Amino acid sequence: METLKEALQKRKVECRVETPDMVYCGSPNHLLVEIPEKELQLAVISKRLESLFGDKRWDIDVG
């Protein structure tokens, strides 16, 4: 099972991450610093690439 940290390390475009406690948005590198280590170890439930008006963003849900 992939962890949130592993998923963010692979991404290059903006991400929206929903954890049980919080919702985070930003670049993957920024989120790796902003999100607490405890939440970075959570397993990824789903991830999908969304495109809004030409802008791409990864939506990542963890549990």
Side-chain angles (χ1 to χ4, degrees), residues 9-38:
Q9 289 172 336
K10 295 177 186 175
R11 304 295 175 256
K12 304 289 184 233
V13 298
E14 293 288 307
C15 296
R16 179 186 174 277
V17 176
E18 188 169 339
T19 69
D21 297 327
M22 190 94 148
V23 175
Y24 301 94
C25 295
S27 72
N29 290 335
H30 174 75
L31 293 177
L32 284 167
V33 173
E34 181 181 345
I35 298 174
E37 187 64 35
K38 178 182 150 196

